[in-house]
Amino acid sequence: MKKINIIYWSGTGNTEDMANAVAEGAKDKDVEVNVIFVEDAQLSHIEEADAVALGCPSMGDEVLEEDAMEPFVESLSSANLNKPFALFGSYDWGDGEWMRNWEKRMEEYGAKLVDKGVIANNDPDDEAIEKCKELGAKLAG
């Protein structure tokens, strides 16, 4: 059975809603899906998974959340990420620069992104939720 781990950080619940939508999209397949808050995540959650989704909103000057998510993502720089990955998150302002930077960074780390990251302005609307479900289905493959 394929295993997908979805690791996220959410301050207001928007990115958590997106994480749950990714999980819902993946559950349509015959896979084990785990949704993990980043503060409870370990490198083993990346290593043991067949596919991974990471979610984080844009913070400050279009960067990842700095206390938990950024250190976790940085810890992946030396890991074997040769597997399907998906990225998602919400933002309040800006143009999505944080997601473009995050995509590039993860590809440099060796992650195989299944699609462009899904972003939602504040509360994810129906379109963003649907795109998250599609990411989950692509991860479940």
Side-chain angles (χ1 to χ4, degrees):
M1 177 181 284
K2 192 172 196 177
K3 182 175 189 172
I4 298 173
N5 286 337
I6 301 164
I7 300 168
Y8 74 97
W9 186 90
S10 186
T12 62
N14 295 335
T15 302
E16 181 177 16
D17 289 345
M18 296 174 81
N20 290 328
V22 173
E24 186 178 335
K27 287 179 181 174
D28 289 343
K29 310 290 182 181
D30 184 30
V31 297
E32 174 187 344
V33 180
N34 301 293
V35 180
I36 306 162
F37 193 67
V38 71
E39 292 176 349
D40 298 323
Q42 302 172 11
L43 186 55
S44 63
H45 289 118
I46 301 292
E47 294 168 341
E48 71 189 12
D50 298 300
V52 177
L54 300 175
C56 185
S58 170
M59 305 292 286
D61 189 23
E62 289 211 65
V63 296
L64 298 175
E65 186 277 329
E66 296 174 310
D67 292 328
M69 195 64 173
E70 173 58 36
F72 183 77
V73 171
E74 180 60 30
S75 77
L76 302 179
S77 65
S78 60
N80 178 5
L81 304 183
N82 186 20
K83 59 183 74 185
F85 266 80
L87 304 176
F88 61 91
S90 61
Y91 68 101
D92 187 19
W93 61 274
D95 70 354
E97 179 183 7
W98 107 98
M99 182 58 72
R100 291 189 301 275
N101 291 340
W102 195 12
E103 289 168 343
K104 181 179 177 188
R105 181 177 178 191
M106 294 306 296
E107 287 175 337
E108 289 171 355
Y109 288 176
K112 306 300 181 203
L113 298 180
V114 297
D115 207 338
K116 290 187 179 279
V118 174
I119 61 175
N121 185 249
N122 292 311
D123 295 333
D125 60 14
D126 290 344
E127 181 181 351
I129 291 296
E130 197 55 41
K131 286 182 180 179
C132 286
K133 289 178 183 178
E134 290 170 9
L135 274 184
K138 286 180 181 180
L139 289 174

